[in-house]
Amino acid sequence: MLLKYFDCTRSGPRSAFDNDIVFQFEIMEYILDFAFDRLGSDEAPINHPILITECACNLVHSRSKMAELLFETYGVPSIAFGVDAAFSYKYNQQLGICDRNGLAICSGFTTSHVIPFINGEPVYEACCRTNVGGYHVTDYLKQLLSLKYPHHMQRLTWEKVEDLKMEHCYITLDYASEVRLFQKGAKEAAEKTRCWQLPWTPSPVEEPPSEEEIARKAALKERQGQRLREMAEAKRSSKINELENELKGLEFLIQQLRHVNGNDIPSFLAETGYVSKQEIESAIVKVTQSLRKAKGEQDEVEEKQEISNLEKYTLIDIPDNMLTPEQVKEKKRQLFLKTTSEGRQRAKQKRFEEELERERRNKEDEQRRLENPELYMEQLRVKYKDLTEKVEQRKRLKTNGSNGNENLSGGVGRGERLNAAQKERMRLLTTAAFDRGKGEDTFGIKDEDWQLYKKMSKDNDDEDEGPNEDEAELARVASKLREIDPTFFPKSDASSSGTEPPRFRPLTKEDFQILIGVERFRCPEILFHPNLIGIEQAGLDEMAGVSIQRLQSKSQSLEESNGLTNSILITGGSCLYPGMSERLEAGIRMIRPCGTPIRVLRASDAVLDAWLGAASFASTMHFQRQVFNKTDYYEKGEDWLRRYQLKYSF
Amino acid sequence: MKCCIKPSEDTRFFRFILMEQEVIESEMILPTHLSFKKIQMHEKYPKGQARGRHWKHLKQIIQAENYQNYPADEPNYVNIESPPSMHPRKQICDITGFEAPYSDPRTHLRYANTEVFKLIRSLPNEYVQRYLALRNAAVVLK
């Protein structure tokens, strides 16, 4: 019974293969389970000899684990191992496609092999393997497209990219000339560019508001403003009325008081709610003041306040020892009032001056702008750039600071203790909580300990001030630039990619297209130039040369090795690219002596030939003679297993 | 998500398994007990043990092979590898794929002309590193 050679290795973590060697036998067991299950086996043990394909010069460890798996878990009577490329070559030889002497170039999923065949047998001494295959081509294409179209990254799944690769990729005869077509923007280049249109729906187009709309909206706003103003006015006048009424009432009361003699005042006043004449008088003063304010006569009020304050400061100049205790208290209060009002005055003055200063600077700016707009714009741009850099740097420090400082602080932060202030706080906390070895927490016994919290909160305040200044400045410069510079685009945060379209343009159909032009032939090129992806090994055409060289140094027959190139078979899934044969031929012609016959032949079915070859091999007597069974395996030991090689011809 | 009852070969109990419709239809699910196996999977790899079973990776397997003990002209997995390429290195632009005679001193990316250069200078660092990683030239800080 035969086993199909699975090329279902995925790059994900659940692959049984590392390169082309089986190493995860748990997953391998699942694969075998699946195979046997689908083949319909239902009795234990599986009573058929098994032929398993492997890579060239497989490792003993892998072979023995595989043999163990088959013998122990499945109860298989006998096994034989064979190389997939060899089966493919023999099969094609049977079909008459290639000769007894030739070269097999097998390009698989993760590796590519070149194996020479002499008299129908593979010569492993001259075999050559490069660790590049279809997986690398697909991965390269996926990365290139993802980098070119970052906002369509979810669409570019591995399976989809593999489909794209199989459908569109090809190999050019000469990379340099092909790429020049694209660089010049020639018509052929445009024809060769394939376009993948992703589904999209056009967003509803907002029509610019017509004249009437604008006028209507303006009128509406005006009316609303009017309404608000009317309401404010009404409120104000009602308040004024109220205050006037109150004032009138209080004055009337005072008048009445004049007619009442001193002793009866308290009882008279008891009904009104005021206790003494002074109270009423002070109430009158207050009401008059508020009335004046409501009517909008502010300056007078303040002056009045000042004057009244001056009157109140009478006690300040009198030295303490001449005053009664109450007067001393009164003096203290007056002092306090005086200093506070003076402070207020000074602050107001300063604000006024700052306003003037700012006005002056703005005027200067405007003048500069009018004189030399170009220079002004340049300066603004430079300033903007500096500021953005500063802000970004600070942001970066905040997030990256921990990476650099982890070593210093001995792993204190988890990335949250970011800046100096927070680190300081942490340090304070830890020292405070540190058990000084006495077994008791002595924090808090002394009053000074609580000063800790004061220190910590102060630090917090300092940090937040700084960035705001820079950012405010940045915002101002940005707005100025936006006004005067039509080509200015405010830079969004560093996290967004540089290739995103500016957001205020509506998305069009073209934004949802993925163009594959140069990538079509750039990706399979890595089979011939693995150093394009950083793998320092020879490409397919060079490998053929290396293989022939190795053969010539091992066995001294030159004519045979010269004839090898007459029958070069390309097989394996990764050789199906259009243009592969021509490129190989050209490449091999470059490195072989002039005039050697070169024929590149494609396998009849590049993907399945290995299996078909193995199938036809297993149906011969030859297979029966070369299997080994369980006793062989356990008796003969690892060394024998290492040297076990299948013979392919009869 | 569809709830599917999968009778196992051992019909003492049915298993309720929540599965996606496609998974059910693709028929890729195996029963837990297979009649042709002498040792079942759940006996060999009992659940609860660390799933990240420590299978040796290729590098370790190769080392364990001890190829230095065997004659050097015998072909083995290591010595059939291809040598580095003798051909002159192909230099193409990292972004566009054109021929690239120039390289950027700051980011070490290859570029073909001035427009590509402008694009390179405007790329955020993440993209620069990814382009370099394509060529295996990214700086890896570990």
Side-chain angles (χ1 to χ4, degrees), chain A residues 326-348:
Chain A
E326 285 131 18
Q327 283 178 321
V328 169
K329 260 196 233 158
E330 185 64 30
K331 178 180 168 188
K332 270 204 197 133
R333 197 176 63 87
Q334 285 177 7
L335 203 60
F336 177 69
L337 281 173
K338 183 169 176 198
T339 40
T340 43
S341 72
E342 275 179 10
R344 252 182 277 134
Q345 287 276 0
R346 258 181 280 135
K348 225 176 80 174

Side-chain angles (χ1 to χ4, degrees), chain A residues 12 64-65 70 80 106 150 164 218 260 271 302 337 371 384 392 423 441 455 460 503 581 602 618 635:
Chain A
S64 75
K65 276 239 150 45
L70 287 170
C106 172
L164 285 173
V260 176
E271 298 165 28
E302 280 193 23
L337 281 173
E371 282 170 23
Y384 181 75
E392 275 179 20
K423 280 206 205 82
D441 185 8
K455 272 192 239 160
N460 215 358
R503 262 166 264 212
S581 318
R602 277 180 178 272
E635 280 173 3

Side-chain angles (χ1 to χ4, degrees), chain A residues 65-77:
Chain A
K65 276 239 150 45
M66 183 70 92
E68 250 178 61
L69 179 66
L70 287 170
F71 284 138
E72 301 297 325
T73 313
Y74 294 100
V76 167

Side-chain angles (χ1 to χ4, degrees), chain A residues 113-365:
Chain A
H113 287 85
V114 172
I115 309 181
F117 280 78
I118 302 282
N119 288 331
E121 287 297 315
V123 182
Y124 296 117
E125 286 85 354
C127 169
C128 187
R129 179 188 80 241
T130 294
N131 300 321
V132 182
Y135 163 77
H136 300 94
V137 179
T138 311
D139 191 57
Y140 195 44
L141 181 60
K142 181 165 183 281
Q143 303 278 16
L144 282 177
L145 288 180
S146 304
L147 282 166
K148 198 161 141 190
Y149 299 98
H151 30 291
H152 295 311
M153 246 196 284
Q154 303 101 335
R155 282 297 199 142
L156 295 164
T157 61
W158 175 272
E159 286 78 12
K160 181 68 196 178
V161 174
E162 206 160 36
D163 281 343
L164 285 173
K165 172 189 91 169
M166 293 200 274
E167 217 183 302
H168 300 292
C169 282
Y170 65 95
I171 296 185
T172 61
L173 204 53
D174 180 19
Y175 185 86
S177 52
E178 190 86 0
V179 107
R180 234 171 283 141
L181 281 179
F182 280 80
Q183 208 165 0
K184 279 190 300 192
K187 219 183 1 176
E188 299 96 355
E191 283 162 22
K192 292 192 189 197
T193 307
R194 300 271 170 96
C195 169
W196 174 26
Q197 173 75 50
L198 296 171
W200 80 296
T201 49
S203 54
V205 173
E206 280 180 25
E207 283 182 23
S210 59
E211 292 273 337
E212 304 162 1
E213 279 272 337
I214 299 173
R216 198 164 55 82
K217 282 209 180 116
L220 200 68
K221 251 191 229 161
E222 183 61 42
R223 252 179 283 143
Q224 282 176 337
Q226 187 71 15
R227 224 179 293 151
L228 282 170
R229 256 174 280 148
E230 280 170 13
M231 281 200 308
E233 195 54 50
K235 232 195 243 171
R236 204 166 72 103
S237 49
S238 73
K239 190 170 169 202
I240 290 178
N241 278 347
E242 248 182 63
L243 286 171
E244 279 179 352
N245 287 343
E246 213 181 314
L247 193 63
K248 274 203 200 107
L250 284 170
E251 282 174 355
F252 180 65
L253 207 60
I254 293 260
Q255 269 194 334
Q256 282 197 319
L257 268 179
R258 288 203 200 104
H259 301 305
V260 176
N261 58 13
N263 295 333
D264 292 336
I265 291 183
S267 54
F268 180 72
L269 286 179
E271 298 165 28
T272 57
Y274 290 100
V275 174
S276 66
K277 193 173 176 199
Q278 287 100 323
E279 228 183 285
I280 301 179
E281 281 177 355
S282 59
I284 289 180
V285 167
K286 259 195 237 154
V287 173
T288 4
Q289 273 180 14
S290 7
L291 195 62
R292 281 235 178 77
K293 211 195 250 177
K295 285 190 183 161
E297 297 161 12
Q298 274 185 328
D299 294 331
E300 275 194 43
V301 173
E302 280 193 23
E303 276 180 37
K304 272 226 145 191
Q305 264 188 354
E306 275 188 44
I307 297 169
S308 52
N309 285 348
L310 277 170
E311 287 169 5
K312 284 194 203 155
Y313 297 157
T314 44
L315 288 178
I316 292 182
D317 300 323
I318 308 175
D320 275 347
N321 46 16
M322 291 184 33
L323 296 170
T324 64
E326 285 131 18
Q327 283 178 321
V328 169
K329 260 196 233 158
E330 185 64 30
K331 178 180 168 188
K332 270 204 197 133
R333 197 176 63 87
Q334 285 177 7
L335 203 60
F336 177 69
L337 281 173
K338 183 169 176 198
T339 40
T340 43
S341 72
E342 275 179 10
R344 252 182 277 134
Q345 287 276 0
R346 258 181 280 135
K348 225 176 80 174
Q349 188 71 7
K350 211 163 101 178
R351 256 181 284 136
F352 189 62
E353 279 172 13
E354 272 181 11
E355 272 291 327
L356 281 176
E357 183 66 34
R358 220 177 297 153
E359 277 294 322
R360 200 175 53 80
R361 253 188 278 144
N362 280 353
K363 280 215 186 81
E364 270 185 28
D365 234 10

Side-chain angles (χ1 to χ4, degrees), chain A residues 232 263 492 518 615:
Chain A
N263 295 333
S492 39
V518 177

Side-chain angles (χ1 to χ4, degrees), chain B residues 4 9-10 15-16 18 20 29-30 34 40 44 51 58 74 78 86-87 92 94 97 104 106 108 111 115 120 129 138:
Chain B
C4 153
E9 237 70 337
D10 184 359
R15 281 162 152 253
F16 286 87
L18 278 170
E20 306 244 349
I29 307 157
L30 288 173
L34 292 160
Q40 300 299 322
K44 202 192 268 195
R51 228 64 215 320
L58 186 62
E74 254 182 35
V78 174
M86 287 289 152
H87 291 174
I92 59 172
D94 284 310
D104 176 15
R106 196 199 286 183
H108 303 293
Y111 62 95
E115 285 136 32
I120 289 183
Q129 292 305 314

